[in-house]
Amino acid sequence: MHRLGAAVVMKLSLTLIFSAFLCACAVPASTTAVVRDKPVIYASFYPVYDFAKKAAGDFAEVRCFIPDGAEPHDWEPSPRDIAGLMGADLFLYAGMGFEHWVDSVLSGLGQDAPPAVETSLAIQALLASPDDGREHDGHHIHDDHDHHDSHVWLSPRLAKLQFAAVCEALKEIDPKNAGSYDEALKKHLAEFDKLDDEFKALSLLPKKVIVVTHEAFGYLCRDYGLEQISIAGYSPEDEPGPARMAQVTRLARENGVTVVFYEELSSAKIARTVAAEIGAKTLPLSPLEGLTDEERENGDDYFSVMRKNHAALKEALS
């Protein structure tokens, strides 16, 4: 279960800080060790966390590594975060380069690293298959952007493979509750299939092109017959230059775009700028990298947010 691959040496500065932190927080020898009755699972960020919660039920304690409100593309773990990871029974992450800090953190922990599972491995194998017959980085209007989309969870067809990987990982560290994890898998795969059927209907709508601020929806577009024009690129914090803004505006007009999508956890300024230029409206479209305060208060989860995304896409493409 331990992550395989060439070890990457953690930066010296992080190592020194981390070592100092552990010394400062050392537990006295007389302290009695805490015995827990269920495994502790760390998930890298929201979608992996939500999948783990659904899979684990009451049989494991699931914690989210990246805190609410943090931008996961740029987030870096603190020494305290890393120390917490040392106490985990399992670490789950998306992979495909999304969590850029994983290699250095796990290799830096060495023998103290928990078992770690990259939940997108089956998806990567599927995308690499010559029998797949589709573009492997998602449909995208051809332009000058580099393509590096790791947001596989935004396609229900691919997300269910991630969920299955989470369930298998839980079964491996907690075999006595394997039957419960199998039940969770069966239940939720049916939910993913239902969501997939709902998204299939988007291909029947008259429009096929969406404009988004963040190049996160390639796999969703790939699986449901759509194309995306992204303004900012892979990171929502990227700043497009005047040439890119002009190009997006031209492509949006050529494709009859009437909605420009933004993310509620990031600034909507550039989406509003493009929308004003072409006479369009703006709507939120979540990359599910985290929940808003309102979504948390309402008890939203992966499925409810994806259905809000579906409703927004249906409005934009009708």
Side-chain angles (χ1 to χ4, degrees):
M1 288 271 294
H2 281 284
R3 189 176 186 277
L4 301 177
V8 179
V9 179
M10 183 179 289
K11 293 180 180 178
L12 178 60
S13 58
L14 179 57
T15 304
L16 294 175
I17 294 172
F18 179 46
S19 299
F21 175 80
L22 291 180
C23 291
C25 298
V27 179
S30 60
T31 300
T32 302
V34 176
V35 178
R36 55 197 185 212
D37 59 357
K38 60 176 66 175
V40 173
I41 313 302
Y42 271 68
S44 58
F45 72 117
Y46 180 74
V48 183
Y49 167 78
D50 189 52
F51 294 169
K53 287 280 287 183
K54 287 176 166 57
D58 295 328
F59 296 101
E61 178 184 342
V62 183
R63 302 173 185 173
C64 194
F65 203 48
I66 299 181
D68 288 336
E71 166 48 56
H73 288 270
D74 302 324
W75 183 82
E76 296 280 355
S78 69
R80 185 178 295 274
D81 295 323
I82 298 170
L85 188 61
M86 291 172 64
D89 296 293
L90 176 67
F91 174 55
L92 300 166
Y93 64 105
M96 298 180 71
F98 188 85
E99 303 97 333
H100 60 90
W101 41 267
V102 164
D103 284 338
S104 60
V105 167
L106 293 179
S107 62
L109 288 176
Q111 293 299 313
D112 293 322
V117 172
E118 184 174 3
T119 60
S120 65
L121 288 179
I123 297 171
Q124 294 176 51
L126 175 67
L127 296 176
S129 171
D131 298 328
D132 189 48
R134 288 175 287 185
E135 293 180 27
H136 294 167
D137 61 358
H139 282 290
H140 198 291
I141 295 282
H142 293 292
D143 52 33
D144 57 4
H145 269 197
D146 292 330
H147 299 161
H148 184 64
D149 188 356
S150 55
H151 299 73
V152 289
W153 59 89
L154 291 173
S155 165
R157 295 181 191 175
L158 300 181
K160 74 177 185 178
L161 298 179
Q162 274 190 291
F163 188 84
V166 169
C167 291
E168 287 301 312
L170 289 172
K171 287 168 61 177
E172 188 163 341
I173 67 157
D174 187 24
K176 70 179 183 295
N177 290 311
S180 297
Y181 302 136
D182 283 336
E183 289 177 9
L185 177 62
K186 181 178 178 180
K187 172 187 173 182
H188 288 95
L189 287 187
E191 291 190 57
F192 282 110
D193 287 340
K194 182 179 179 182
L195 189 64
D196 178 37
D197 287 339
E198 294 170 21
F199 271 83
K200 285 177 184 176
L202 294 176
S203 64
L204 303 177
L205 297 176
K207 297 179 183 179
K208 306 298 179 190
V209 175
I210 61 173
V211 174
V212 297
T213 55
H214 177 193
E215 191 176 347
F217 301 92
Y219 295 108
L220 185 152
C221 290
R222 167 189 183 272
D223 285 339
Y224 301 105
L226 307 178
E227 294 182 286
Q228 70 173 339
I229 301 169
S230 60
I231 304 172
Y234 177 63
S235 171
E237 303 306 318
D238 288 347
E239 287 290 338
R244 179 61 190 165
M245 293 291 283
Q247 183 183 35
V248 169
T249 300
R250 175 179 60 78
L251 290 169
R253 284 200 180 104
E254 289 175 357
N255 287 279
V257 170
T258 57
V259 173
V260 178
F261 290 111
Y262 67 92
E263 298 174 24
E264 291 181 302
L265 292 177
S266 300
S267 172
K269 181 180 178 181
I270 59 174
R272 294 192 183 109
T273 299
V274 172
E277 186 68 23
I278 65 174
K281 65 187 293 186
T282 58
L283 287 175
L285 192 68
S286 175
L288 268 160
E289 293 171 357
L291 297 182
T292 65
D293 291 339
E294 181 179 0
E295 287 169 340
R296 283 191 296 273
E297 291 171 3
N298 291 339
D300 279 321
D301 67 351
Y302 173 85
F303 292 104
S304 62
V305 175
M306 284 297 290
R307 287 192 165 93
K308 288 194 287 187
N309 280 351
H310 178 273
L313 289 167
K314 184 176 179 180
E315 180 175 346
L317 299 170
S318 296

